[in-house]
Amino acid sequence: MSLKPTADQGQRYEISAVGWPLPEKTVIGWADYDHSAELMAAGARLSPGCKRTEIRDRWGKQAIQVCEVEPHETTIALEQLPAKLLRGEHTCFHLTFNDEHSINYETAAEYFSGNPDWDRGWISPEEREKAITTNSVWTLQWYPETPIGFHIVRASSAAAVIAAALKEMSP
């Protein structure tokens, strides 16, 4: 299968994707303006299988934006999460957004610097930095067997914490 560039009419920006609609790098469109190209690339990254998008300034002959698709996108319905995380009869989980710092009128940076005991569970140092910088802290805490022992994961997005929790509970 090949895709022919039928819509190219000399637009400045060329948008390509890897993994969608074909496994190899494929030109998916063109745009006159950088913000239009960014919107098209963002839409492509939502497509199943898309691994990366690139925007090239054809007048400057250089790549201006390369975006990798987040590797921790979740592929599970929220209703299926309890069956994947919980095993016991008296178990539960809490998925929260900004619950620690926001209710205390603090930024994430202020809260975690003042509460080092709760500055844990981050899926990576990069995710911690991103969550604190953007003031977007998602936390998933669950009690898989009993209401006593729990697991906790934190990241900058809900998809990231759900994927990390599923990975932690997978055999």
Side-chain angles (χ1 to χ4, degrees):
M1 176 181 176
S2 68
L3 298 175
K4 303 270 186 202
T6 57
D8 179 8
Q9 298 177 6
Q11 292 96 337
R12 180 173 181 169
Y13 299 98
E14 180 179 87
I15 303 93
S16 301
V18 176
W20 176 87
L22 300 172
E24 65 272 2
K25 180 178 173 183
T26 307
V27 175
I28 59 170
W30 299 268
D32 287 319
Y33 304 102
D34 58 347
H35 62 277
S36 300
E38 289 170 13
L39 285 173
M40 186 180 294
R45 287 192 299 275
L46 295 174
S47 301
C50 185
K51 296 181 176 104
R52 185 176 81 209
T53 60
E54 295 179 11
I55 300 172
R56 185 172 67 93
D57 180 348
R58 298 184 328 161
W59 296 355
K61 304 289 186 204
Q62 60 185 347
I64 60 163
Q65 182 189 70
V66 176
C67 289
E68 301 291 330
V69 173
E70 293 290 327
H72 44 64
E73 292 181 6
T74 183
T75 57
I76 185 172
L78 194 55
E79 293 81 13
Q80 297 171 332
L81 197 54
K84 298 286 186 183
L85 297 180
L86 309 175
R87 297 186 190 106
E89 181 181 353
H90 302 287
T91 60
C92 67
F93 74 87
H94 309 275
L95 177 62
T96 60
F97 174 73
N98 287 350
D99 66 325
E100 290 101 353
H101 66 277
S102 191
I103 61 171
N104 293 310
Y105 297 97
E106 292 179 310
T107 64
E110 292 167 336
Y111 177 81
F112 288 111
S113 66
N115 297 286
D117 290 342
W118 282 101
D119 193 10
R120 59 189 167 101
W122 298 101
I123 64 172
S124 70
E126 297 80 18
E127 272 297 311
R128 179 189 183 277
E129 182 65 30
K130 183 178 177 183
I132 289 174
T133 301
T134 60
N135 209 40
S136 174
V137 179
W138 286 86
T139 304
L140 180 59
Q141 181 175 345
W142 72 102
Y143 298 77
E145 305 286 341
T146 67
I148 296 173
F150 68 89
H151 298 260
I152 189 168
V153 289
R154 286 195 173 88
S156 64
S157 71
V161 295
I162 291 171
L166 292 171
K167 183 177 178 183
E168 191 170 315
M169 294 303 289
S170 66

